[in-house]
Amino acid sequence: MTATAPTASEAPERPAHRDPNVLRWLGAYTASMVGDSIYFMALAWAAARTGSASGAGLVLAAGSIPRALLMLGGGVLADRLGPRRVVIGSDAARALLVLGLAATLVLTAPSVVVLVVVALLFGAVDALFLPAVGALPPRISPPGQLARIQGLRGLAARGASIVGAPLGGVAVATGGPSLAFAAAGLLFALSLPLLLRVRTRPLPEPAAPEGAHTTRAVARPTARQELVDGLRHIRRHSLLGPLMLVIALSELGFVGPLNLGLILLSEERGWGAAGMGWIVAGFAAGAAAAALLLAVRGRIERAGLVLGLTALLGATGIAALAQVPSVAPAAAVAACVGASLGLAGSLCAALVQTAADPAYLGRVTSVSTLFTYAVVPLSYPVTGAAVAAWGTGPVYAVSAAVCATGGALGLAVTALRRAELPR
Protein backbone atom coordinates (compact mmCIF):
# COMPACT_ATOMS: atom_id res chain seq x y z
CA MET A 1 0.00 0.00 0.00
CA THR A 2 1.11 3.57 -0.62
CA ALA A 3 1.82 5.64 2.46
CA THR A 4 0.22 9.06 2.48
CA ALA A 5 1.80 12.32 3.56
CA PRO A 6 0.13 14.77 5.94
CA THR A 7 -2.00 17.41 4.30
CA ALA A 8 -0.95 21.04 4.24
CA SER A 9 -3.41 21.81 7.02
CA GLU A 10 -1.81 19.20 9.28
CA ALA A 11 1.84 20.24 8.95
CA PRO A 12 3.68 23.40 7.90
CA GLU A 13 5.44 23.41 4.55
CA ARG A 14 9.11 22.47 4.82
CA PRO A 15 11.79 23.45 2.31
CA ALA A 16 12.44 20.53 -0.04
CA HIS A 17 16.12 20.26 0.92
CA ARG A 18 15.11 19.76 4.56
CA ASP A 19 12.24 17.36 3.92
CA PRO A 20 13.28 13.74 4.68
CA ASN A 21 10.64 12.49 2.28
CA VAL A 22 12.09 14.53 -0.60
CA LEU A 23 15.65 13.57 0.38
CA ARG A 24 14.78 9.87 0.26
CA TRP A 25 13.38 10.38 -3.23
CA LEU A 26 16.45 12.40 -4.20
CA GLY A 27 18.80 9.69 -2.92
CA ALA A 28 16.92 7.03 -4.88
CA TYR A 29 16.88 9.21 -8.00
CA THR A 30 20.64 9.89 -7.73
CA ALA A 31 21.47 6.20 -7.31
CA SER A 32 19.31 5.37 -10.31
CA MET A 33 20.92 8.10 -12.45
CA VAL A 34 24.45 6.97 -11.54
CA GLY A 35 23.39 3.42 -12.42
CA ASP A 36 22.07 4.71 -15.76
CA SER A 37 25.39 6.38 -16.54
CA ILE A 38 27.39 3.25 -15.69
CA TYR A 39 24.98 1.07 -17.69
CA PHE A 40 25.38 3.12 -20.87
CA MET A 41 29.17 3.19 -20.46
CA ALA A 42 29.25 -0.60 -20.01
CA LEU A 43 26.88 -1.15 -22.94
CA ALA A 44 29.10 0.91 -25.25
CA TRP A 45 32.20 -1.06 -24.24
CA ALA A 46 30.43 -4.43 -24.49
CA ALA A 47 29.13 -3.48 -27.94
CA ALA A 48 32.61 -2.46 -29.05
CA ARG A 49 33.99 -5.84 -27.92
CA THR A 50 31.66 -7.71 -30.25
CA GLY A 51 34.08 -6.76 -33.04
CA SER A 52 31.36 -5.48 -35.37
CA ALA A 53 31.09 -1.74 -35.93
CA SER A 54 27.63 -2.05 -37.47
CA GLY A 55 26.52 -4.34 -34.66
CA ALA A 56 27.82 -1.92 -32.05
CA GLY A 57 25.86 0.89 -33.67
CA LEU A 58 22.74 -1.28 -33.67
CA VAL A 59 23.17 -2.04 -29.96
CA LEU A 60 23.52 1.62 -29.02
CA ALA A 61 20.55 2.67 -31.16
CA ALA A 62 18.23 -0.16 -30.12
CA GLY A 63 17.09 1.37 -26.84
CA SER A 64 15.65 4.47 -28.51
CA ILE A 65 13.07 2.45 -30.44
CA PRO A 66 10.92 1.28 -27.50
CA ARG A 67 11.33 4.69 -25.85
CA ALA A 68 9.77 6.35 -28.88
CA LEU A 69 7.00 3.76 -29.25
CA LEU A 70 6.05 3.31 -25.58
CA MET A 71 6.72 6.66 -23.91
CA LEU A 72 3.15 7.97 -24.19
CA GLY A 73 1.82 4.66 -22.92
CA GLY A 74 4.16 5.00 -19.96
CA GLY A 75 2.45 8.27 -19.10
CA VAL A 76 -0.95 6.56 -19.13
CA LEU A 77 0.37 3.83 -16.85
CA ALA A 78 1.82 6.40 -14.41
CA ASP A 79 -1.59 8.09 -14.15
CA ARG A 80 -3.40 4.77 -13.73
CA LEU A 81 -1.16 3.16 -11.12
CA GLY A 82 0.51 6.21 -9.60
CA PRO A 83 4.07 7.29 -10.47
CA ARG A 84 5.61 5.86 -7.29
CA ARG A 85 4.56 2.31 -8.11
CA VAL A 86 5.77 2.62 -11.68
CA VAL A 87 9.17 3.99 -10.61
CA ILE A 88 9.63 1.20 -8.06
CA GLY A 89 8.66 -1.46 -10.61
CA SER A 90 10.91 0.08 -13.26
CA ASP A 91 13.99 0.21 -11.03
CA ALA A 92 13.35 -3.37 -9.87
CA ALA A 93 13.08 -4.53 -13.48
CA ARG A 94 16.24 -2.65 -14.48
CA ALA A 95 18.15 -4.14 -11.55
CA LEU A 96 17.14 -7.71 -12.49
CA LEU A 97 17.81 -7.15 -16.19
CA VAL A 98 21.26 -5.61 -15.78
CA LEU A 99 22.39 -8.04 -13.06
CA GLY A 100 21.24 -10.89 -15.30
CA LEU A 101 23.34 -9.49 -18.15
CA ALA A 102 26.35 -9.19 -15.82
CA ALA A 103 26.00 -12.86 -14.86
CA THR A 104 25.67 -13.85 -18.53
CA LEU A 105 28.85 -12.00 -19.49
CA VAL A 106 30.78 -13.80 -16.76
CA LEU A 107 29.99 -17.07 -18.51
CA THR A 108 30.25 -16.03 -22.16
CA ALA A 109 31.56 -13.31 -24.45
CA PRO A 110 29.13 -10.51 -25.38
CA SER A 111 27.14 -11.05 -28.57
CA VAL A 112 25.25 -8.51 -30.65
CA VAL A 113 21.97 -10.43 -30.28
CA VAL A 114 22.11 -10.57 -26.47
CA LEU A 115 23.08 -6.90 -26.18
CA VAL A 116 20.36 -5.78 -28.60
CA VAL A 117 17.72 -7.72 -26.65
CA VAL A 118 18.90 -6.16 -23.38
CA ALA A 119 18.98 -2.67 -24.93
CA LEU A 120 15.42 -3.11 -26.24
CA LEU A 121 14.13 -4.32 -22.88
CA PHE A 122 15.97 -1.57 -21.01
CA GLY A 123 14.54 1.02 -23.41
CA ALA A 124 11.04 -0.36 -22.85
CA VAL A 125 11.42 -0.06 -19.08
CA ASP A 126 12.86 3.45 -19.52
CA ALA A 127 9.71 4.40 -21.44
CA LEU A 128 7.76 3.64 -18.26
CA PHE A 129 10.32 5.08 -15.83
CA LEU A 130 10.88 8.50 -17.40
CA PRO A 131 7.26 9.80 -17.38
CA ALA A 132 6.70 8.39 -13.88
CA VAL A 133 9.83 9.91 -12.35
CA GLY A 134 8.90 13.27 -13.88
CA ALA A 135 5.36 13.06 -12.47
CA LEU A 136 6.44 12.07 -8.95
CA PRO A 137 7.63 15.42 -7.41
CA PRO A 138 4.11 16.95 -7.09
CA ARG A 139 3.08 13.83 -5.15
CA ILE A 140 5.80 14.21 -2.51
CA SER A 141 6.03 17.96 -1.91
CA PRO A 142 3.80 21.06 -1.84
CA PRO A 143 3.54 23.15 -5.04
CA GLY A 144 5.68 25.92 -3.58
CA GLN A 145 8.69 23.57 -3.43
CA LEU A 146 8.54 22.23 -6.99
CA ALA A 147 11.06 24.71 -8.43
CA ARG A 148 13.51 23.83 -5.65
CA ILE A 149 12.97 20.12 -6.35
CA GLN A 150 13.77 20.74 -10.03
CA GLY A 151 16.99 22.40 -8.95
CA LEU A 152 17.89 19.48 -6.70
CA ARG A 153 17.01 17.06 -9.47
CA GLY A 154 19.24 18.97 -11.90
CA LEU A 155 22.14 18.87 -9.45
CA ALA A 156 21.63 15.12 -8.97
CA ALA A 157 21.56 14.51 -12.73
CA ARG A 158 24.75 16.55 -13.31
CA GLY A 159 26.48 14.87 -10.39
CA ALA A 160 25.46 11.44 -11.66
CA SER A 161 26.98 12.21 -15.08
CA ILE A 162 30.22 13.42 -13.50
CA VAL A 163 30.52 10.44 -11.14
CA GLY A 164 28.94 7.67 -13.23
CA ALA A 165 31.12 7.80 -16.33
CA PRO A 166 34.45 7.55 -14.43
CA LEU A 167 33.05 4.80 -12.19
CA GLY A 168 31.91 2.89 -15.26
CA GLY A 169 35.31 3.34 -16.87
CA VAL A 170 37.12 2.08 -13.77
CA ALA A 171 34.78 -0.91 -13.51
CA VAL A 172 35.30 -1.81 -17.18
CA ALA A 173 39.09 -1.46 -16.83
CA THR A 174 39.11 -3.57 -13.66
CA GLY A 175 36.68 -6.36 -14.41
CA GLY A 176 35.32 -5.80 -17.90
CA PRO A 177 31.75 -4.89 -18.84
CA SER A 178 30.34 -7.59 -16.54
CA LEU A 179 31.65 -5.78 -13.44
CA ALA A 180 30.29 -2.46 -14.71
CA PHE A 181 26.86 -3.98 -15.38
CA ALA A 182 26.90 -5.52 -11.89
CA ALA A 183 27.66 -2.12 -10.35
CA ALA A 184 24.81 -0.51 -12.32
CA GLY A 185 22.39 -3.24 -11.26
CA LEU A 186 23.32 -2.84 -7.60
CA LEU A 187 22.71 0.91 -7.81
CA PHE A 188 19.25 0.32 -9.31
CA ALA A 189 18.58 -2.12 -6.46
CA LEU A 190 19.88 0.43 -3.91
CA SER A 191 17.15 2.87 -4.95
CA LEU A 192 14.39 0.44 -4.00
CA PRO A 193 14.48 0.61 -0.17
CA LEU A 194 14.59 4.42 -0.39
CA LEU A 195 11.63 4.52 -2.79
CA LEU A 196 9.62 2.17 -0.60
CA ARG A 197 9.91 4.70 2.24
CA VAL A 198 8.79 7.66 0.11
CA ARG A 199 5.31 8.87 1.09
CA THR A 200 2.99 10.18 -1.62
CA ARG A 201 -0.28 12.04 -1.65
CA PRO A 202 -3.30 9.95 -2.71
CA LEU A 203 -3.92 9.93 -6.43
CA PRO A 204 -7.11 11.66 -7.60
CA GLU A 205 -9.88 9.56 -9.02
CA PRO A 206 -9.48 9.18 -12.80
CA ALA A 207 -11.51 11.82 -14.60
CA ALA A 208 -14.03 10.75 -17.22
CA PRO A 209 -13.06 11.77 -20.76
CA GLU A 210 -14.21 15.25 -21.68
CA GLY A 211 -17.65 15.17 -23.28
CA ALA A 212 -18.63 11.87 -21.64
CA HIS A 213 -22.22 11.64 -20.29
CA THR A 214 -22.66 10.77 -16.63
CA THR A 215 -24.85 7.75 -15.92
CA ARG A 216 -25.41 5.58 -12.87
CA ALA A 217 -21.90 4.12 -13.30
CA VAL A 218 -19.13 5.43 -15.53
CA ALA A 219 -17.01 2.69 -17.06
CA ARG A 220 -13.29 3.25 -16.78
CA PRO A 221 -11.92 4.48 -20.12
CA THR A 222 -9.50 2.35 -22.08
CA ALA A 223 -5.79 3.16 -22.20
CA ARG A 224 -6.23 4.62 -25.68
CA GLN A 225 -9.10 6.83 -24.50
CA GLU A 226 -7.01 8.02 -21.55
CA LEU A 227 -4.12 8.86 -23.87
CA VAL A 228 -6.37 10.82 -26.22
CA ASP A 229 -7.94 12.57 -23.24
CA GLY A 230 -4.47 13.54 -21.97
CA LEU A 231 -3.47 14.97 -25.36
CA ARG A 232 -6.75 16.88 -25.47
CA HIS A 233 -6.01 18.26 -21.99
CA ILE A 234 -2.67 19.63 -23.26
CA ARG A 235 -4.16 21.06 -26.45
CA ARG A 236 -6.98 22.90 -24.67
CA HIS A 237 -4.85 24.20 -21.80
CA SER A 238 -3.81 27.84 -22.16
CA LEU A 239 -0.35 27.17 -20.67
CA LEU A 240 0.50 23.52 -21.35
CA GLY A 241 0.04 23.67 -25.13
CA PRO A 242 2.49 26.57 -25.64
CA LEU A 243 4.88 25.04 -23.10
CA MET A 244 5.09 21.80 -25.09
CA LEU A 245 5.94 23.77 -28.23
CA VAL A 246 8.62 25.74 -26.38
CA ILE A 247 10.14 22.50 -25.04
CA ALA A 248 10.09 20.86 -28.48
CA LEU A 249 11.69 23.81 -30.29
CA SER A 250 14.28 24.43 -27.58
CA GLU A 251 15.33 20.77 -27.53
CA LEU A 252 15.49 20.54 -31.33
CA GLY A 253 17.69 23.62 -31.48
CA PHE A 254 19.94 22.58 -28.62
CA VAL A 255 20.56 18.83 -28.54
CA GLY A 256 22.00 18.33 -32.04
CA PRO A 257 24.66 21.08 -31.85
CA LEU A 258 25.66 20.27 -28.29
CA ASN A 259 26.05 16.52 -28.89
CA LEU A 260 26.93 15.34 -32.39
CA GLY A 261 27.53 18.90 -33.62
CA LEU A 262 30.12 19.53 -30.91
CA ILE A 263 32.12 16.48 -31.98
CA LEU A 264 32.13 17.69 -35.57
CA LEU A 265 32.99 21.26 -34.52
CA SER A 266 35.95 20.03 -32.44
CA GLU A 267 37.24 18.00 -35.39
CA GLU A 268 36.81 20.91 -37.79
CA ARG A 269 38.71 23.34 -35.52
CA GLY A 270 41.38 20.83 -34.49
CA TRP A 271 40.48 21.09 -30.80
CA GLY A 272 40.53 17.31 -30.35
CA ALA A 273 38.92 15.25 -27.62
CA ALA A 274 40.57 17.26 -24.85
CA GLY A 275 39.17 20.52 -26.20
CA MET A 276 35.74 19.01 -26.53
CA GLY A 277 36.00 17.78 -22.95
CA TRP A 278 36.63 21.33 -21.70
CA ILE A 279 33.63 22.62 -23.66
CA VAL A 280 31.38 19.89 -22.28
CA ALA A 281 32.69 20.66 -18.80
CA GLY A 282 31.83 24.33 -19.32
CA PHE A 283 28.29 23.44 -20.30
CA ALA A 284 27.93 21.10 -17.31
CA ALA A 285 29.23 23.78 -14.95
CA GLY A 286 26.73 26.32 -16.29
CA ALA A 287 23.83 23.88 -16.03
CA ALA A 288 24.88 22.93 -12.48
CA ALA A 289 24.99 26.62 -11.53
CA ALA A 290 21.42 27.09 -12.81
CA ALA A 291 20.26 24.03 -10.88
CA LEU A 292 21.99 25.31 -7.73
CA LEU A 293 20.28 28.69 -8.11
CA LEU A 294 16.86 27.04 -8.17
CA ALA A 295 17.73 24.71 -5.31
CA VAL A 296 18.82 27.64 -3.13
CA ARG A 297 16.19 30.22 -4.05
CA GLY A 298 13.30 27.81 -4.39
CA ARG A 299 11.35 30.20 -6.61
CA ILE A 300 12.03 32.53 -9.54
CA GLU A 301 9.79 35.57 -9.87
CA ARG A 302 8.04 36.00 -13.24
CA ALA A 303 9.02 32.48 -14.22
CA GLY A 304 7.40 32.59 -17.66
CA LEU A 305 9.18 35.78 -18.65
CA VAL A 306 12.53 34.48 -17.36
CA LEU A 307 11.97 31.22 -19.26
CA GLY A 308 11.54 33.03 -22.59
CA LEU A 309 14.48 35.39 -22.04
CA THR A 310 16.89 32.64 -20.98
CA ALA A 311 15.88 30.53 -23.98
CA LEU A 312 16.73 33.46 -26.25
CA LEU A 313 20.04 33.97 -24.43
CA GLY A 314 20.87 30.29 -24.83
CA ALA A 315 20.06 30.48 -28.55
CA THR A 316 22.48 33.40 -28.93
CA GLY A 317 25.17 31.31 -27.24
CA ILE A 318 24.55 28.38 -29.61
CA ALA A 319 25.09 30.65 -32.62
CA ALA A 320 28.23 32.15 -31.04
CA LEU A 321 29.75 28.77 -30.20
CA ALA A 322 30.52 28.02 -33.85
CA GLN A 323 32.28 31.39 -34.28
CA VAL A 324 34.75 31.44 -31.37
CA PRO A 325 38.37 30.76 -32.40
CA SER A 326 39.73 28.69 -29.53
CA VAL A 327 38.83 26.30 -26.72
CA ALA A 328 38.84 28.71 -23.76
CA PRO A 329 36.23 31.15 -25.11
CA ALA A 330 34.21 28.21 -26.47
CA ALA A 331 34.10 26.70 -22.96
CA ALA A 332 33.00 30.07 -21.55
CA VAL A 333 30.23 30.37 -24.14
CA ALA A 334 29.19 26.78 -23.43
CA ALA A 335 28.91 27.65 -19.72
CA CYS A 336 26.55 30.52 -20.60
CA VAL A 337 24.49 28.19 -22.80
CA GLY A 338 24.33 25.59 -20.02
CA ALA A 339 23.28 28.16 -17.42
CA SER A 340 20.62 29.84 -19.55
CA LEU A 341 19.07 26.75 -21.14
CA GLY A 342 19.45 24.78 -17.90
CA LEU A 343 17.41 27.40 -16.08
CA ALA A 344 14.86 27.56 -18.90
CA GLY A 345 14.49 23.77 -18.87
CA SER A 346 14.02 23.59 -15.11
CA LEU A 347 11.42 26.36 -15.22
CA CYS A 348 9.60 24.51 -18.01
CA ALA A 349 9.46 21.36 -15.89
CA ALA A 350 8.27 23.22 -12.81
CA LEU A 351 5.56 25.06 -14.75
CA VAL A 352 4.38 21.81 -16.36
CA GLN A 353 4.06 20.19 -12.94
CA THR A 354 2.15 23.09 -11.40
CA ALA A 355 -0.12 23.75 -14.39
CA ALA A 356 -1.18 20.20 -15.22
CA ASP A 357 -4.18 18.67 -13.53
CA PRO A 358 -2.74 16.00 -11.17
CA ALA A 359 -4.85 13.30 -12.82
CA TYR A 360 -3.13 14.02 -16.17
CA LEU A 361 0.43 14.61 -14.92
CA GLY A 362 1.90 11.31 -16.10
CA ARG A 363 0.53 11.78 -19.61
CA VAL A 364 1.62 15.42 -19.75
CA THR A 365 5.11 14.49 -18.57
CA SER A 366 5.32 11.70 -21.13
CA VAL A 367 4.72 14.19 -23.97
CA SER A 368 7.45 16.57 -22.81
CA THR A 369 9.81 13.63 -22.18
CA LEU A 370 9.05 12.18 -25.61
CA PHE A 371 10.59 15.25 -27.27
CA THR A 372 13.80 14.95 -25.26
CA TYR A 373 14.44 11.20 -25.32
CA ALA A 374 12.77 9.98 -28.51
CA VAL A 375 12.02 12.67 -31.10
CA VAL A 376 15.08 14.91 -30.70
CA PRO A 377 17.66 12.09 -31.22
CA LEU A 378 16.20 11.71 -34.70
CA SER A 379 17.84 15.07 -35.50
CA TYR A 380 21.34 13.56 -35.22
CA PRO A 381 21.48 12.17 -38.78
CA VAL A 382 20.10 15.47 -40.11
CA THR A 383 22.71 17.42 -38.14
CA GLY A 384 25.53 15.21 -39.43
CA ALA A 385 24.41 15.46 -43.05
CA ALA A 386 23.93 19.22 -42.81
CA VAL A 387 27.40 19.78 -41.31
CA ALA A 388 28.92 17.62 -44.06
CA ALA A 389 27.14 19.70 -46.70
CA TRP A 390 27.44 23.26 -45.33
CA GLY A 391 29.83 23.23 -42.37
CA THR A 392 29.24 23.92 -38.70
CA GLY A 393 28.60 27.69 -38.90
CA PRO A 394 25.35 27.59 -40.90
CA VAL A 395 24.06 24.54 -39.02
CA TYR A 396 24.66 26.16 -35.64
CA ALA A 397 22.96 29.33 -36.90
CA VAL A 398 19.86 27.40 -38.00
CA SER A 399 19.80 25.46 -34.72
CA ALA A 400 20.06 28.72 -32.79
CA ALA A 401 17.15 30.13 -34.81
CA VAL A 402 15.01 27.08 -33.93
CA CYS A 403 15.86 27.45 -30.23
CA ALA A 404 15.21 31.21 -30.41
CA THR A 405 11.80 30.52 -31.96
CA GLY A 406 10.92 28.58 -28.82
CA GLY A 407 11.98 31.47 -26.62
CA ALA A 408 10.12 34.00 -28.76
CA LEU A 409 6.99 31.85 -28.64
CA GLY A 410 7.21 31.80 -24.86
CA LEU A 411 7.34 35.60 -24.80
CA ALA A 412 4.58 36.01 -27.40
CA VAL A 413 1.98 33.86 -25.61
CA THR A 414 0.52 36.00 -22.84
CA ALA A 415 -0.47 33.12 -20.56
CA LEU A 416 3.06 31.74 -20.67
CA ARG A 417 4.86 35.06 -20.43
CA ARG A 418 2.87 35.94 -17.29
CA ALA A 419 3.09 32.47 -15.74
CA GLU A 420 4.21 32.34 -12.11
CA LEU A 421 5.34 29.50 -9.87
CA PRO A 422 3.38 28.95 -6.64
CA ARG A 423 4.66 30.68 -3.52
Side-chain angles (χ1 to χ4, degrees):
M1 293 179 63
T2 300
T4 60
T7 63
S9 61
E10 295 171 341
E13 180 175 317
R14 275 192 287 190
H17 62 286
R18 296 179 183 174
D19 186 342
N21 195 46
V22 172
L23 293 178
R24 285 190 290 269
W25 167 81
L26 186 65
Y29 178 76
T30 303
S32 185
M33 289 298 98
V34 175
D36 250 354
S37 186
I38 294 175
Y39 163 79
F40 285 111
M41 168 72 74
L43 186 68
W45 276 98
R49 290 189 177 185
T50 63
S52 167
S54 60
L58 181 62
V59 170
L60 297 179
S64 63
I65 298 172
R67 287 190 194 98
L69 296 177
L70 302 176
M71 188 77 74
L72 296 180
V76 173
L77 191 65
D79 285 335
R80 281 197 164 200
L81 302 181
R84 176 179 174 272
R85 292 179 180 177
V86 176
V87 170
I88 290 173
S90 299
D91 267 351
R94 295 198 294 180
L96 292 174
L97 177 64
V98 176
L99 288 173
L101 177 59
T104 300
L105 295 185
V106 170
L107 303 175
T108 183
S111 69
V112 170
V113 173
V114 170
L115 295 178
V116 166
V117 170
V118 170
L120 287 170
L121 292 174
F122 195 94
V125 176
D126 254 4
L128 306 181
F129 172 83
L130 291 168
V133 79
L136 193 53
R139 309 290 192 191
I140 62 175
S141 186
Q145 295 299 315
L146 288 178
R148 180 171 274 127
I149 287 182
Q150 289 306 315
L152 293 171
R153 183 181 176 187
L155 285 173
R158 295 299 165 195
S161 298
I162 293 170
V163 172
L167 283 179
V170 170
V172 169
T174 303
S178 60
L179 180 60
F181 283 125
L186 290 174
L187 283 165
F188 293 136
L190 177 63
S191 72
L192 295 175
L194 292 170
L195 288 170
L196 288 170
R197 295 186 60 203
V198 170
R199 301 165 317 206
T200 60
R201 290 172 171 78
L203 290 171
E205 290 297 322
E210 296 179 22
H213 296 287
T214 303
T215 59
R216 287 177 300 175
V218 178
R220 184 166 191 172
T222 65
R224 181 180 179 279
Q225 289 171 331
E226 288 189 336
L227 175 57
V228 171
D229 195 34
L231 296 176
R232 187 183 296 116
H233 175 65
I234 293 172
R235 180 173 59 84
R236 293 181 176 178
H237 198 287
S238 61
L239 186 58
L240 290 177
L243 258 177
M244 293 300 142
L245 291 176
V246 170
I247 291 170
L249 291 169
S250 299
E251 291 286 346
L252 282 171
F254 162 72
V255 173
L258 267 295
N259 286 300
L260 176 61
L262 188 55
I263 297 173
L264 301 177
L265 179 65
S266 298
E267 290 181 350
E268 183 181 286
R269 299 294 174 85
W271 293 340
M276 178 182 165
W278 282 109
I279 298 170
V280 172
F283 167 77
L292 182 61
L293 174 67
L294 268 180
V296 171
R297 287 184 59 88
R299 186 177 186 273
I300 300 294
E301 296 288 342
R302 307 190 71 179
L305 177 63
V306 173
L307 188 164
L309 292 175
T310 50
L312 288 175
L313 180 60
T316 304
I318 291 173
L321 192 58
Q323 306 302 322
V324 292
S326 57
V327 171
V333 171
C336 293
V337 173
S340 54
L341 292 183
L343 182 57
S346 294
L347 290 174
C348 275
L351 288 171
V352 164
Q353 291 179 343
T354 55
D357 186 306
Y360 292 95
L361 192 52
R363 282 163 282 180
V364 173
T365 304
S366 72
V367 173
S368 62
T369 307
L370 180 69
F371 293 130
T372 304
Y373 290 93
V375 175
V376 170
L378 298 177
S379 69
Y380 291 165
V382 177
T383 300
V387 169
W390 300 298
T392 53
V395 172
Y396 268 70
V398 171
S399 296
V402 173
C403 186
T405 302
L409 177 64
L411 295 176
V413 176
T414 303
L416 182 49
R417 185 179 67 251
R418 296 180 178 176
E420 294 280 6
L421 292 171
R423 294 187 180 277

